[in-house]
Amino acid sequence: MKDDPAKRFFRKAREDVAAFFGAPETDQTRSAAYRIAYDDLDFMLRDELRPVRLQLELLKPEILMEEHHVDSTIVLFGGARIRPPEEAAQAPTPEMAAMSKYYEEARQFARMMTERSLERSGGRHDIIVTGGGPGVMEAGNRGAADAGGKSIGLNIVLPHEQAPNKYVTPELCFNFHYFGIRKMHFLMRARAIAIFPGGFGTMDELFEALTLIQTGRMEQVPFLLFGREFWKTVINFEELARVGTISREDLDLFRVVETAQEAVAAIDSWQSVGNRRGAVPER
């Protein structure tokens, strides 16, 4: 929110922080107790301040995305270990080398969606968002950059910390401590979700998003799984429906695709399960 001098009645917080450093050097002013609370890092990192830190992690990306006119997003999830085609020969196994095709499909899909975003909304809608790291995440941000558009990276602090990939728009490159808040930002603006082959993290995001949609906690959006053979092999969705742990209609919550072109066509022709059932239509 921009500052309006005509509506200012009190000193700004930044001004008081600056004034602190001009105070006389005494035992009292040197004490940590004297520091303004929000400018005291040791205080802000106390366990008792966890609720405040959770709120800050929710607010900071929210405010900055609003300032950069991010009205809706296209979410890309997928494996960090999938290499670009030019690096496929360095993969540890032939199977991982073959996965490089999904890097290229993610890049093309992100490029196509970003081109449409720029044409239809000036880059305000359907902005690519990834986890900001390597592999499929890099491919998504790279595709958006290929199209000349912006993209978002939602990084997370991990023991094996990796730097954000170089294709994320710097002003939209965020870092999180709390997984839960990061997950919220992935889905709060999502107008479509694309899941590429990946590991535990990808599976976590896949089932969490599907559960939110299945239970009606999240609006139904186009939900795409890239790679027919991969998903057929690693998850037996048909068996879940056969034994009754999910309903057969739940299989319609997502669609399996192979290429970027097929994915875009699926988004354009998407019809929610709710509409098929005669339930409340999409907003």
Side-chain angles (χ1 to χ4, degrees):
M1 183 171 60
K2 294 191 179 297
D3 182 48
D4 183 354
K7 296 182 180 179
R8 283 184 54 195
F9 301 100
F10 301 98
R11 285 166 58 91
K12 297 175 70 174
R14 189 182 297 275
E15 292 172 346
D16 277 352
V17 170
F20 168 83
F21 292 100
E25 283 278 336
T26 67
D27 290 342
Q28 290 75 26
T29 61
R30 283 191 291 267
S31 170
Y34 187 72
R35 293 192 69 89
I36 294 175
Y38 51 78
D39 193 45
D40 185 345
L41 184 59
D42 289 336
F43 176 72
M44 289 296 295
L45 295 179
R46 290 174 61 134
D47 286 347
E48 299 92 333
L49 270 290
R50 184 173 293 116
V52 175
R53 294 195 299 274
L54 283 161
Q55 186 178 20
L56 290 173
E57 282 211 344
L58 181 65
L59 276 173
K60 181 180 178 180
E62 178 75 9
I63 290 170
L64 292 180
M65 280 194 259
E66 284 187 2
E67 288 179 352
H68 286 84
H69 309 297
V70 177
D71 292 340
S72 64
T73 59
I74 304 293
V75 183
L76 265 68
F77 293 128
R81 303 182 185 187
I82 294 177
R83 298 171 182 262
E86 60 269 22
E87 298 176 14
Q90 303 170 26
T93 66
E95 291 79 8
M96 280 303 301
M99 286 282 180
S100 66
K101 67 181 180 181
Y102 294 115
Y103 181 104
E104 192 58 27
E105 292 301 333
R107 181 179 177 183
Q108 293 303 321
F109 174 70
R111 178 186 59 77
M112 293 170 68
M113 295 306 298
T114 303
E115 287 174 347
R116 291 186 5 159
S117 168
L118 292 169
E119 179 183 346
R120 297 180 178 183
S121 69
R124 298 179 69 107
H125 286 291
D126 297 349
I127 297 168
I128 298 297
V129 57
T130 80
V136 166
M137 296 174 280
E138 176 187 287
N141 297 120
R142 187 176 180 180
D146 291 340
K150 58 193 173 188
S151 68
I152 304 162
L154 304 181
N155 295 266
I156 187 79
V157 178
L158 299 171
H160 48 282
E161 178 74 25
Q162 292 171 322
N165 72 69
K166 64 182 180 180
Y167 301 103
V168 180
T169 300
E171 295 78 15
L172 295 172
C173 187
F174 303 103
N175 201 13
F176 291 84
H177 173 69
Y178 297 106
F179 265 98
I181 301 299
R182 178 177 181 252
K183 289 171 182 285
M184 288 183 66
H185 277 295
F186 268 124
L187 300 179
M188 283 167 61
R189 293 175 170 82
R191 291 223 297 196
I193 299 171
I195 314 279
F196 291 79
F200 287 159
T202 301
M203 300 300 167
D204 174 48
E205 301 291 2
L206 161 67
F207 283 111
E208 182 161 53
L210 269 183
T211 300
L212 288 170
I213 292 172
Q214 181 203 46
T215 57
R217 301 298 298 177
M218 177 180 171
E219 183 176 338
Q220 292 175 32
V221 298
F223 200 110
L224 311 171
L225 305 184
F226 275 78
R228 289 187 177 86
E229 191 59 34
F230 176 83
W231 293 109
K232 178 182 177 182
T233 302
V234 301
I235 303 175
N236 193 336
F237 289 107
E238 282 289 339
E239 182 65 8
L240 293 176
R242 188 190 71 80
V243 301
T245 55
I246 64 173
S247 71
R248 184 149 293 279
E249 284 182 314
D250 289 334
L251 298 177
D252 292 331
L253 294 175
F254 61 89
R255 195 175 301 176
V256 184
V257 298
E258 198 63 40
T259 67
Q261 290 79 6
E262 190 178 352
V264 173
I267 289 173
D268 289 343
S269 63
W270 192 267
Q271 184 182 15
S272 75
V273 175
N275 283 346
R276 291 178 188 147
R277 293 174 180 166
V280 177
E282 294 176 275
R283 295 193 300 273

